[in-house]
Amino acid sequence: MSTSPAEDPSAAVEEPLTEEEYRDRLRELPPSAKLVAKVLETESPLSQGQLADESLLPDRTVRYALNRLDDVGLVGSRYSFRDARKQVYFLKH
């Protein structure tokens, strides 16, 4: 995932996406990525396992969907406050 500006001073601050930009990026993605994004719209942040439970998708499909969402800059991640071994995911719009 991307580096925060605090960690890399040369990194540009990302502008929030407009609803139209968000929908345009999402439109080109596979159905699994759209479903994961929809789950993250209603509940966020969630771990990969929680996303699999909520979406009823296999872990491998959720991982693929998260990678696709990350490729187009729609999802971010951070380490969980409850369990630092896990990452949780959230939408960036």
Side-chain angles (χ1 to χ4, degrees):
M1 301 291 151
S2 60
T3 321
S4 72
E7 294 171 0
D8 183 3
S10 65
V13 176
E14 289 185 32
E15 294 289 322
L17 296 174
T18 65
E19 188 66 27
E20 185 178 338
E21 290 171 325
Y22 171 76
R23 292 176 67 80
D24 285 343
R25 290 184 188 186
L26 196 59
R27 187 171 285 118
E28 302 301 318
L29 296 177
S32 60
K34 292 174 184 171
L35 178 57
V36 167
K38 194 65 171 170
V39 170
L40 286 172
E41 280 181 5
T42 59
E43 296 182 50
S44 183
L46 294 174
S47 69
Q48 182 179 325
Q50 291 169 318
L51 280 166
D53 290 344
E54 291 295 320
S55 66
L56 303 177
L57 294 171
D59 286 338
R60 185 175 179 173
T61 304
V62 170
R63 189 168 44 254
Y64 172 76
L66 287 169
N67 285 332
R68 294 300 309 266
L69 288 165
D70 184 45
D71 289 346
V72 296
L74 294 180
V75 73
S77 69
R78 64 169 171 76
Y79 287 103
S80 171
F81 295 133
R82 290 183 171 201
D83 185 350
R85 297 170 295 177
K86 294 183 180 181
Q87 287 197 336
V88 291
Y89 300 90
F90 53 90
L91 290 178
K92 287 183 169 180
H93 85 283

